[in-house]
Amino acid sequence: MAEKKVRVRFAPSPTGQLHVGNARTALFNWLFARQRGGVNVLRIEDTDVERSEARYETQLLEDLKWLGLDWDEGPDVGGPYAPYRQSDRMQIYQTVAERLVEEKKAYYCFCTPEELERDREQALKEGRQPIYSGKCRDLDSADAAERRAAGEPAAIRLEIPEHPIKFYDVVRGEVEFPSESVSDPIIMRSNGVPVYNYVVVIDDAEMKITHVIRGDDHLSNTPKQVALYEALGLPVPKFAHLSTILGPDRERLSKRHGATSIANFRDMGILPEALMNYLALLGWAPSGGTRETFTPQELIKEFSLKRVTPSSAIFDMEKLYWLNRHYLKKSPPARVAQLALPYFQRAGLLPKQPNEQISLWFGKLLTLLVPYVDKLEQLPEKAAQILRYPAPSASENLLSEFAKADAVLSALMEQIYNDSFVTTDRFKAIMAEIEAKTGAKGKDLFHPVRIVLIGSPSGPAFDQLIPLLEEGSRLPLPEHVKSVRERVSEFMDWRKRQG
RNA sequence: GUCCCCGUCGUCUAGCCCGGCCUAGGACAUCGCCCUUUCACGGCGGUAACACGGGUUCAAAUCCCGUCGGGGACGCCA
């Protein structure tokens, strides 16, 4: 019971939209913290002043919240280790760096970038690891002070110890790097700005982070960071490096693969619970490995860092769509309606302030359409197929393969001529009548009728479609929905005009 | 180049740590059938994988070595 509370952190840079890879990292941190009753920290890594922007930070928080994540400490909620924005912590980094120099764990380096570049090329040519030679390591501290006083720019480097650097990674096990493969890293630039690899460690240490869960692109940086913890005399946290998410071409997932940011998915009409579920399944599977759908609560219960897979994963849009369809079908109709409404308004299919009748009708329309789509975004297009009257010429082309189409349509026109409102029962009777009169059956009977009504041989069942059209035709919609009779007559008139 | 990580169906993965229960399980996609006077939804079924080569062992997807392939790092970027 005395076990220490776990503390994890998600530390994004506000330099753009929240990417799925980062979102998955945020999710795993969150799941781990929530399951263990620990603390989830949000820290903003904005040391790169040029690329960081306040609006991205706001958006970042919104995207995380939309996904269903929350945090216990962060720039917006505060906490015992505030501030949570690196740009507000500069003084700390400076102080600690100077202390490290005093303790001889770090040193001033006067090498110029050109000099370093030459050394690197030389090393590469000789087939050596291109790491820093360490030539400033043994500079006399009095000399160094003098040169600095004279205005010579100096960076601060951490001295990497001689022994191999080991650390524990929860997803990969024990990892060891030979000391010779690790360069003495710069922790303070000569202009006084601290370096990322250094500030993360200071912050993680100060914030008492127990588990560092992050992308595996940081794996090779980890030995430098471990050396820093050791120099600082602070406990090294456990690490968990998550594999990279790849695009279909096995390249690191990026904008050119299409939708990759959380905002993209939200705009398409992917449900947050579907995305969360999908992201959780990328690199993690429950024990047994046979279950696919999880609510956030179930994920919290089942999640385990130890079960995270080390190999990289290709992002599969189709499976995300499958999950989205699953959750779309499970969602209460009122919620789907609320989420779908803006898409219809933008397409000019629904008014800004739909009245109650329209909302009711819209609900029916959605239950009809939802089984046909992967994401909300596709709804207006699907609906347009039904709500807007299709071009008669297109229908005409489809009609040719049905032998008795002409007879069926004339009979239909005859029957429907006097009906201003067609009920489902009336429609059934009409179809029976046409069947009796023309002898057309099955597809020969039903398809021509469907084509004339909605411009396609496939679509919703008639007993749902007919009332939808008829009711819609009486509503004050931005675009008039044509009734059954209007549709049939319009088509027949068009035919007449064609001769 | 050097160092580190990774390698099970097309894809996500279970199994690997503690070898036999694996004629390798589930899911997405795909194909077929059923439901449906259409399509979609739904139901049922099929195709499909242990990267390769050596060991160790009575027995290897599982342990060891090597090869190959992919990724990352080696920055006064994050």
Side-chain angles (χ1 to χ4, degrees), chain A residues 279-461:
Chain A
L279 256 21
L281 257 19
L282 264 191
W284 170 83
S287 84
T290 56
R291 226 179 123 196
E292 309 285 334
T293 60
F294 296 85
T295 64
Q297 288 315 308
E298 288 166 335
L299 282 175
I300 289 172
K301 189 156 170 271
E302 298 293 320
F303 185 75
S304 158
L305 259 193
K306 289 217 176 77
R307 297 189 57 81
V308 170
T309 50
S311 54
S312 48
I314 294 174
F315 192 91
D316 181 10
M317 206 52 125
E318 287 303 327
K319 189 148 182 176
L320 207 212
Y321 286 156
W322 172 73
L323 278 166
N324 201 47
R325 291 194 298 263
H326 171 83
Y327 286 107
L328 235 27
K329 277 179 266 175
K330 273 185 62 174
S331 286
R335 178 181 176 224
V336 177
Q338 195 201 340
L339 292 173
L341 184 61
Y343 295 90
F344 283 83
Q345 290 169 329
R346 248 174 277 145
L349 292 166
L350 284 181
K352 278 272 163 276
Q353 299 288 327
N355 64 30
E356 201 175 319
Q357 279 171 301
I358 292 179
S359 299
L360 226 60
W361 173 81
F362 181 51
K364 289 185 206 167
L365 173 69
L366 287 180
T367 49
L368 250 171
L369 257 26
V370 163
Y372 285 88
V373 301
D374 298 326
K375 43 187 172 173
L376 265 15
E377 173 185 71
Q378 296 167 322
L379 248 14
E381 198 193 322
K382 272 279 170 226
Q385 200 185 30
I386 299 176
L387 301 184
R388 288 192 176 131
Y389 191 64
S393 56
S395 299
E396 183 69 56
N397 290 338
L398 291 171
L399 248 22
S400 57
E401 52 178 299
F402 300 99
K404 295 179 174 168
D406 291 347
V408 168
L409 293 179
S410 319
L412 175 65
M413 185 61 198
E414 224 169 88
Q415 285 290 326
I416 228 156
Y417 192 72
N418 293 312
D419 291 291
S420 59
F421 187 87
V422 183
T423 64
T424 312
D425 284 344
R426 168 79 181 120
F427 186 77
K428 275 188 188 142
I430 290 173
M431 292 307 278
E433 194 66 37
I434 299 172
E435 181 173 356
K437 197 162 177 183
T438 63
K441 273 194 233 212
K443 292 185 183 181
D444 280 335
L445 172 61
F446 284 82
H447 278 189
V449 174
R450 195 186 298 278
I451 288 168
V452 164
L453 291 181
I454 65 168
S456 164
S458 75

Side-chain angles (χ1 to χ4, degrees), chain A residues 15 34 56 88 120 450:
Chain A
T15 53
R34 291 292 167 262
Y56 285 133
D88 297 332
R120 193 172 302 123
R450 195 186 298 278

Side-chain angles (χ1 to χ4, degrees), chain A residues 33 58 146 191 194 201-202 209 219 223 225 231 245 255 272 281 331-332 342 398 428 446 452 456 470:
Chain A
T58 314
E146 211 170 290
N191 64 7
V201 173
I202 304 297
I209 299 304
L219 192 59
Q225 299 182 348
I245 299 179
K255 290 117 274 157
L281 257 19
S331 286
L398 291 171
K428 275 188 188 142
F446 284 82
V452 164
S456 164
E470 296 297 79

